[in-house]
Amino acid sequence: MGRWIFWLVLLLIGGAAVSVWRGWLEVPPQWNPWAPLDVKAAPNWLTGYKLMRLRSDPELCTQALSSSDLRVTRQSDSPDAKCPLIGAMRVQGGEVALSSSFLASCPLAVAYAMFEHHTLQPTAHSVYGQKVVRLDHLGSFACRNVYNRESGALSRHASADALDIAGFRLGDGRTVSVLKDWPKQNQDAQFLRQVRDGACEAFSVVLSPDYNAAHRNHFHVDVGRWSVCR
């Protein structure tokens, strides 16, 4: 009897999924796995799946990006370059200003918009009672191997899928630095750890000073196919 109940439940779930996919059953977009991602909608257990889909669907990624406040400029494709970029864009900033614009794949741009809206600003309000007004970074696109090795796998930076975040400036002019403030036991260190943890909801890989000495001065965030949060 138990086995029959299991298969019946599985059949009902499968039928409901097909009905949603076909459009026979209407559900709110945030609970529809095939609906475009809304950057400003509260994340739920489907958000990770929707972010993953953006890697292989440029049109869907463009739709998701349009739901954010991020300002971007489309870049010309460079298919014949050593590190080719297709569909890349220059991110100019959003609610939070940038120390400089950066090149990004569409999935990285969407993940950054999610991070800014759902992690960075809420954490700043929670810890400091004020906004982050600028994010300082060390760059995104770099045509190189992992750790600049002469041989081996290409870095996620080589496809504009990664960003290195170095610190933040608050509304009152105060600055928080990964290099200077991560080792401390104070409010700034608490803020950085909460930001690191929250970033893992938007990016597939987040590497902090806890990972190794190479990341002592920044958070490496990327949208590759691996999943690491440390």
Side-chain angles (χ1 to χ4, degrees):
M1 179 65 71
R3 181 178 297 177
W4 283 107
I5 293 176
F6 169 79
W7 285 110
L8 178 60
V9 171
L10 193 64
L11 182 62
L12 290 173
I13 293 174
V18 170
S19 297
V20 171
W21 177 55
R22 291 287 189 179
W24 301 332
L25 178 63
E26 290 191 12
V27 297
Q30 64 268 31
W31 298 111
N32 182 346
W34 297 282
L37 174 70
D38 182 348
V39 166
K40 294 182 180 179
N44 59 34
W45 59 275
L46 286 174
T47 302
Y49 171 72
K50 291 190 174 189
L51 284 167
M52 181 183 67
R53 291 183 66 205
L54 305 184
R55 301 174 193 162
S56 57
D57 193 329
E59 183 178 344
L60 195 63
C61 192
T62 299
Q63 284 183 273
L65 188 60
S66 69
S67 69
S68 77
D69 293 327
L70 214 58
R71 301 184 304 278
V72 302
T73 304
R74 300 286 174 173
Q75 302 295 291
S76 298
D77 293 341
S78 55
D80 300 322
K82 180 181 178 181
C83 294
L85 292 180
I86 307 295
M89 58 194 68
R90 183 164 292 280
V91 177
Q92 307 288 349
E95 181 182 354
V96 177
L98 299 169
S99 55
S100 63
S101 62
F102 63 87
L103 281 175
S105 65
C106 183
L108 177 65
V110 172
Y112 174 80
M114 291 284 295
F115 163 73
E116 179 184 290
H117 188 75
H118 296 289
T119 291
L120 186 57
Q121 293 295 39
T123 303
H125 277 289
S126 173
V127 175
Y128 298 112
Q130 58 180 305
K131 291 183 177 181
V132 168
V133 296
R134 193 180 81 176
L135 178 144
D136 296 326
H137 67 86
L138 304 178
S140 57
F141 175 70
C143 187
R144 62 173 176 82
N145 295 329
V146 175
Y147 295 124
N148 286 303
R149 293 168 179 155
E150 292 187 7
S151 61
L154 283 172
S155 166
R156 297 311 306 185
H157 287 284
S159 53
D161 280 333
L163 177 68
D164 289 340
I165 300 172
F168 311 92
R169 178 176 292 177
L170 303 174
D172 63 2
R174 179 177 181 177
T175 59
V176 184
S177 161
V178 176
L179 177 63
K180 295 179 180 179
D181 297 312
W182 184 270
K184 299 176 181 177
Q185 300 294 324
N186 62 7
Q187 187 182 46
D188 296 335
Q190 174 193 354
F191 169 73
L192 289 172
R193 280 163 174 76
Q194 289 185 22
V195 167
R196 187 273 310 270
D197 294 346
C200 298
E201 301 298 320
F203 302 99
S204 53
V205 171
V206 179
L207 305 178
S208 73
D210 280 351
Y211 186 66
N212 61 18
H215 296 86
R216 66 188 181 281
N217 66 341
H218 69 277
F219 297 154
H220 166 96
V221 298
D222 75 48
V223 290
R225 298 189 181 279
W226 299 104
S227 180
V228 181
C229 178
R230 186 174 172 188

